[in-house]
Amino acid sequence: MRCVFNYLLLFFLVGFAGCGNTSPEGDRNIETVTAADLKELVAQKEYSLIYFWTTWCGPCRKTLNNTLPELSKLIDKEKVQILLVAVSKDEDRISKTLEARDLNAQSLRLKFFGPDVFVNHKLALKNTLEELFPEENVWKNSVPVFVLADRDAKVIQPDLPSKLEKLKHLLQTESKRRTGEILLSGEF
């Protein structure tokens, strides 16, 4: 109980400091979404590859640079969509991280309260994952979070690998076993 109290106290103190909010709340090119909005987006296609990332995460940027551009060329776009969900309020940094990437994916920004700092990112992501996938234990207390879900927001594969070869193999074999469908198109 004392730990919860300390965490809440820290959250409010950091929130009142007002630091870290380097971008206005208004939207420009990247849509701000809640868990409910994500659930609606997931329902639009048979399957969704959802990639939650932050601007300060090195492995996230590596996956955005290498794996996801290649993966976006391989997926069957009739059945599968890629949703890139940035857990940050800094739209300029999000845009700079994503620009010049050959990503055929919808870029989104997760809505959360408080300043744009690590503790709020983790809390927002944890709460979003619990609301989006209430019967699954997707949150592993780290970023990135990469999930394959069906249109009913049922997790088909949690904790997808960030390396392209492992990801392609998993999507070819495991997704076919679980869904009966191959989610990649073309040769690789």
Side-chain angles (χ1 to χ4, degrees):
M1 183 68 167
R2 185 176 185 165
C3 181
V4 171
F5 174 77
N6 289 339
Y7 182 78
L8 289 173
L9 180 62
L10 176 66
F11 178 78
F12 283 110
L13 289 175
V14 170
F16 287 121
C19 62
N21 194 359
T22 59
S23 181
E25 195 60 39
D27 295 332
R28 287 181 277 185
N29 297 326
I30 300 172
E31 182 182 353
T32 302
V33 294
T34 63
D37 299 326
L38 284 171
K39 200 169 263 196
E40 288 179 19
L41 288 168
V42 165
Q44 292 177 359
K45 288 274 188 174
E46 263 182 86
Y47 303 101
S48 296
L49 288 160
I50 311 163
Y51 189 71
F52 293 91
W53 64 283
T54 61
T55 55
W56 47 262
C57 169
C60 297
R61 289 191 305 271
K62 187 174 182 181
T63 302
L64 288 166
N65 286 334
N66 303 327
T67 304
L68 291 174
E70 291 302 314
L71 182 64
S72 70
K73 295 173 188 173
L74 297 173
I75 61 169
D76 182 344
K77 291 168 186 61
E78 295 296 316
K79 296 178 188 172
V80 183
Q81 67 181 333
I82 299 176
L83 302 175
L84 304 177
V85 184
V87 186
S88 175
K89 292 182 179 183
D90 191 340
E91 191 168 314
D92 292 332
R93 261 185 102 184
I94 295 168
S95 295
K96 286 177 184 169
T97 302
L98 295 175
E99 73 184 24
R101 309 290 188 294
D102 189 18
L103 291 168
N104 186 14
Q106 188 168 358
S107 296
L108 308 161
R109 182 178 59 186
L110 188 62
K111 182 176 183 171
F112 60 92
F113 297 101
D116 197 18
V117 294
F118 171 75
V119 68
N120 291 342
H121 296 164
K122 286 180 65 173
L123 185 61
L125 183 52
K126 177 184 182 293
N127 291 339
T128 299
L129 291 170
E130 288 173 353
E131 186 177 336
L132 186 58
F133 308 116
E135 297 182 21
E136 306 286 339
N137 185 16
V138 177
W139 175 242
K140 302 295 185 215
N141 203 28
S142 66
V143 290
V145 175
F146 198 9
V147 175
L148 173 63
D150 68 11
R151 70 171 22 143
D152 297 320
K154 179 179 178 283
V155 174
I156 296 168
Q157 186 67 45
D159 200 24
L160 288 168
S162 59
K163 300 228 184 278
L164 184 62
E165 291 307 314
K166 288 182 180 179
L167 185 56
K168 287 191 306 189
H169 176 74
L170 186 76
L171 289 175
Q172 281 294 84
T173 57
E174 194 63 21
S175 64
K176 184 174 182 185
R177 185 179 70 77
R178 290 182 180 214
T179 68
E181 298 185 67
I182 294 177
L183 305 179
L184 301 178
S185 60
E187 298 298 319
F188 52 89

